[in-house]
Structure formats: C-alpha cells, structure tokens
Amino acid sequence: MPSASPSAPAPVVIAINPHKTSWTAVAVDNRLQPLASIRIEVNRGGYRQLRRFAGR
C-alpha cells in the first residue's frame, strides 16, 4: 500500500515591475503560468501589501 506522504509545494516566483508611483507584482508557477497579481502604490502601506501578497 502506498504511503500518504504530503508532497512538497511547487516553487513560486514573484516578479516585480517597479515604476515611479506603483509596483506591479506577479506570482508565477514553475511553468511560468500566472497565479496572482497585484498593483500597488509606492509607499509604506504599499510595501506592507506587497509583503502580505508574497506571504500568500
């Protein structure tokens, strides 16, 4: 009987395109398929949003 061991999570890469007033971040899987994206303002609050996005 095969064991029911949990598989390792697939790698995810987050690419960030910085602009003067906004950051756009996209999370992609190992096949370069987009998983999620976010566009935020360049400020302290935006940085916190970016950290939360990366944490998911």
Side-chain angles (χ1 to χ4, degrees):
M1 175 183 243
S3 65
S5 64
S7 61
V12 173
V13 173
I14 298 174
I16 300 172
N17 187 2
H19 296 281
K20 287 183 180 182
T21 61
S22 69
W23 292 317
T24 301
V26 178
V28 297
D29 64 14
N30 60 345
R31 295 173 295 149
L32 300 180
Q33 298 299 308
L35 301 172
S37 65
I38 188 171
R39 184 172 181 189
I40 53 176
E41 291 184 33
V42 177
N43 58 32
R44 184 172 268 172
Y47 178 74
R48 284 192 293 271
Q49 283 182 278
L50 185 59
R51 297 280 307 235
R52 284 192 300 271
F53 174 78
R56 295 187 305 198

